[in-house]
Amino acid sequence: MTNRQILQAMSGLMAGMFVAILAGTVVSNALPTIIADLGASQSSYTWVVTAELLAMTATVPLWGKLSDLFNKKLLLQLSLGMFVVGSLLAGFSHGVGLLIFSRVVQGVGAGGLTALAQVVMASIIPPRRLGKYAGIFGAVFAVGTVAGPLVGGVLVDTSWLGWRWCFFIGVPFALLAIALLQRTLHLPTVKREVRIDFLGAFLIVAGVCALLVWVSLAGNQFDWASWQTAALTGGGVVLLAAAVFVEARTAEPVIPLNIFRNRTVTLTTVASLLVGVAMFGGTVFLSQYFQISLGKSPTVAGLMSLPMILGLLVSSTVAGQIISRTGKWKRYLVAGAVIMSVGLGLLSTIGADTSFALLSLFMAILGIGVGMLMQNLVLAAQNDVPAAELGAATSVLSFFRSMGGTIGTSVLGAVLANRVASETAKGLREAGITPTGGGSGDGGGSVPDMSTLPAPLRTVVEHAYGVATADLFLFATPCALLALLTVVFLKEKPLKTSSGMERLAEEAAAETAGPVEALIELPRQRTGDAPVPAPAPGDQDPTGQRA
């Protein structure tokens, strides 16, 4: 494909990715209004947030495997269609039960978009040229991440629109993506006998969901050491062990276990998990820090994350261009891991009195490191697997990165809550204030409404959230250092110059070809002649050339 054809095909992919990102970010500032309007509880608030993430993370491997078996364009359009259905159900919801169900449907669609967009890119773009297109997806990621909360806040505050448009707004983009994909993306359908591993798929989804429910709710809905923890972790481990048993014996496994024999896939998977913990687990609470510790409005808090997004965008674009030009990629993974570790370490020094200039510098450093690391881990894995396993390998990396983000968010959220509680209690004692309980600034569980707190108490809470947020980055830094250790052991291999579809055709041709000996034409014999032996290595044939 020419550059123009690739860009045309990517237009639909970019629209689809924008939809997936928007679904996760546009409701962040609207959720308090949504829950209040539907008369739901705090636990329902948690499930509205968690349901989409659970569905997306659990189904990414399934979409990846399906992309190895069926038409990729059709699967992309199907995932976009599911997203449209989920968005319409969410927008018309009059009860929290239907809203949570619709978020599950949205999550399944977003899982397809997350996995399939990168698989399709690898199918149409050779690894050697893939790097320079990663910056375009970085731009879409940046715009969706920054614009989502801002758009959500505006929609909620506009009386003639309201929170329901937070779900409706993604529908036109999804429909546009379906139309663009139909017009611009042309992929051949590989005819092959298909056996879908339904049992393995069920066991994987059930086991992953059990563990994700545990890490999402432990420390909030129930204690980490409780019978719920034992039931969810024990059940999840048993289900995943059964899934491994099934996957090792089925003809078409959802996650082919043999891909983990590939050193590059194994190391990039571990690194993706650690990046998910460090990146998402550390940064997801920055908006809360901006609003509570620094006293900024939700709109300003959304804008304050721009330095990190811009750092990610610039580094992913520049590194991608250089990788495409030189074919060298390992040095950028190592540099990205180092810079990410430095950024997290610097952010572990922030507090309630940190200046925005210094904070912007720290966030930009973190964004630069993540931009050099995250997308190029996928590139390294895609370059080193057979074309028939591109979908499975890509989705495994996306799955573990999402899993890491979920684990990091849950565990570090519990650390944040405990640290806020202890720091608030300590500050109140030092100020001579008697805690009143109830969570309005005493760290008792709910996020405080800073506008209702008296000045002395507000100062204590601001300091507590500043210290607690810094601790999150301190806990995330070792994960970044482990990711650095992991990428150091990656073996750099030359980037392939053929696309996934071309490699698939080459591999299919190699499989159908006979042994090498069948391609050697022996000297023609006359009837009745004795058989002519094949020349041994080192012998000479009648032409005088060595065999």
Side-chain angles (χ1 to χ4, degrees):
M1 297 177 69
T2 64
N3 284 333
R4 181 175 180 179
Q5 290 172 323
I6 291 173
L7 289 173
Q8 287 175 340
M10 285 181 63
S11 61
L13 295 178
M14 288 187 292
M17 284 298 294
F18 183 73
V19 163
I21 296 166
L22 202 65
T25 59
V26 74
V27 299
S28 58
N29 284 340
L31 273 175
T33 303
I34 295 172
I35 296 301
D37 189 46
L38 296 178
S41 63
Q42 177 64 33
S43 62
S44 299
Y45 184 107
T46 304
W47 275 109
V48 171
V49 175
T50 307
E52 188 200 18
L53 185 61
L54 286 174
M56 182 184 75
T57 304
T59 56
V60 160
L62 307 185
W63 286 107
K65 181 58 183 178
L66 290 174
S67 72
D68 288 333
L69 302 178
F70 298 102
N71 185 279
K72 297 174 178 61
K73 180 169 81 171
L74 184 61
L75 289 172
L76 261 175
Q77 293 172 317
L78 176 61
S79 63
L80 283 164
M82 294 189 69
F83 180 85
V84 169
V85 171
S87 299
L88 292 175
L89 286 174
F92 288 116
S93 296
H94 289 282
V96 73
L98 180 58
L99 178 61
I100 292 172
F101 172 76
S102 67
R103 293 288 284 172
V104 172
V105 177
Q106 275 189 315
V108 174
L113 294 169
T114 301
L116 295 170
Q118 296 186 81
V119 174
V120 170
M121 280 185 66
S123 297
I124 64 177
I125 307 172
R128 183 63 186 265
R129 297 168 59 194
L130 190 58
K132 66 180 182 180
Y133 294 99
I136 299 175
F137 275 87
V140 173
F141 176 83
V143 171
T145 303
V146 174
L150 297 176
V151 171
V154 170
L155 292 173
V156 170
D157 292 336
T158 304
S159 58
W160 53 276
L161 290 174
W163 63 264
R164 297 183 185 276
W165 278 93
C166 291
F167 301 105
F168 292 149
I169 193 171
V171 173
F173 290 101
L175 296 175
L176 174 64
I178 292 174
L180 287 172
L181 288 169
Q182 184 62 35
R183 183 177 179 84
T184 62
L185 184 61
H186 305 290
L187 294 174
T189 301
V190 179
K191 300 290 187 181
R192 55 177 293 193
E193 184 180 352
V194 174
R195 296 179 182 177
I196 302 177
D197 179 22
F198 290 106
L199 178 58
F202 168 76
L203 292 172
I204 290 172
V205 171
V208 168
C209 283
L211 295 179
L212 288 178
V213 167
W214 170 59
V215 298
S216 299
L217 302 184
N220 182 17
Q221 302 297 315
F222 50 82
D223 293 333
W224 286 96
S226 63
W227 69 266
Q228 293 96 330
T229 291
L232 288 172
T233 55
V237 169
V238 169
L239 288 168
L240 290 179
V244 171
F245 180 82
V246 171
E247 294 295 273
R249 287 160 177 77
T250 188
E252 291 283 0
V254 175
I255 300 179
L257 300 181
N258 63 324
I259 67 171
F260 292 109
R261 297 175 185 169
N262 185 310
R263 174 179 170 179
T264 302
V265 172
T266 302
L267 291 176
T268 52
T269 299
V270 173
S272 295
L273 175 70
L274 295 168
V275 169
V277 174
M279 166 66 179
F280 296 103
T283 59
V284 73
F285 299 102
L286 271 177
S287 179
Q288 192 178 61
Y289 163 75
F290 295 148
Q291 296 181 53
I292 296 179
S293 193
L294 302 185
K296 306 300 182 182
S297 67
T299 301
V300 173
L303 292 172
M304 287 180 72
S305 62
L306 273 174
M308 184 171 64
I309 301 301
L310 291 175
L312 189 153
L313 170 61
V314 171
S315 68
S316 65
T317 303
V318 173
Q321 292 284 347
I322 298 175
I323 289 172
S324 292
R325 188 164 61 248
T326 64
K328 304 294 185 181
W329 50 266
K330 181 177 177 178
R331 64 190 66 171
Y332 302 101
L333 290 180
V334 174
V338 170
I339 296 172
M340 184 177 73
S341 302
V342 171
L344 289 169
L346 291 173
L347 283 168
S348 69
T349 65
I350 63 176
D353 56 349
T354 304
S355 68
F356 178 63
L358 199 58
L359 191 60
S360 298
L361 175 63
F362 296 167
M363 289 191 296
I365 292 173
L366 177 60
I368 290 170
V370 172
M372 296 174 70
L373 186 62
M374 194 160 56
Q375 186 63 32
N376 291 323
L377 285 171
V378 179
L379 173 64
Q382 289 176 337
N383 182 63
D384 201 31
V385 296
E389 295 179 353
L390 267 177
T394 304
S395 62
V396 162
L397 262 67
S398 299
F399 166 73
F400 277 96
R401 188 171 63 234
S402 297
M403 175 77 86
T406 306
I407 294 171
T409 301
S410 177
V411 173
L412 294 181
V415 171
L416 177 75
N418 291 330
R419 193 76 168 104
V420 165
S422 62
E423 282 296 318
T424 302
K426 176 183 174 184
L428 292 177
R429 286 195 303 270
E430 292 176 351
I433 302 173
T434 302
T436 57
S440 60
D442 61 347
S446 62
V447 178
D449 183 356
M450 301 298 289
S451 63
T452 64
L453 299 181
L457 186 55
R458 186 164 58 246
T459 301
V460 171
V461 174
E462 287 174 351
H463 175 74
Y465 271 89
V467 171
T469 305
D471 280 358
L472 297 187
F473 291 107
L474 186 62
F475 278 101
T477 302
C479 292
L481 293 174
L482 287 174
L484 169 61
L485 185 64
T486 303
V487 298
V488 164
F489 286 100
L490 281 171
K491 182 179 180 181
E492 183 162 26
K493 298 183 179 181
L495 294 178
K496 294 181 172 66
T497 56
S498 55
S499 68
M501 298 307 297
E502 292 167 342
R503 287 156 56 192
L504 191 63
E506 292 168 0
E507 291 165 9
E511 288 178 2
T512 56
V516 175
E517 289 80 2
L519 301 178
I520 301 176
E521 185 177 355
L522 299 180
R524 188 178 300 276
Q525 302 177 37
R526 292 191 305 271
T527 303
D529 285 351
V532 180
D539 291 346
Q540 290 188 339
D541 66 9
T543 63
Q545 294 182 347
R546 289 190 176 275

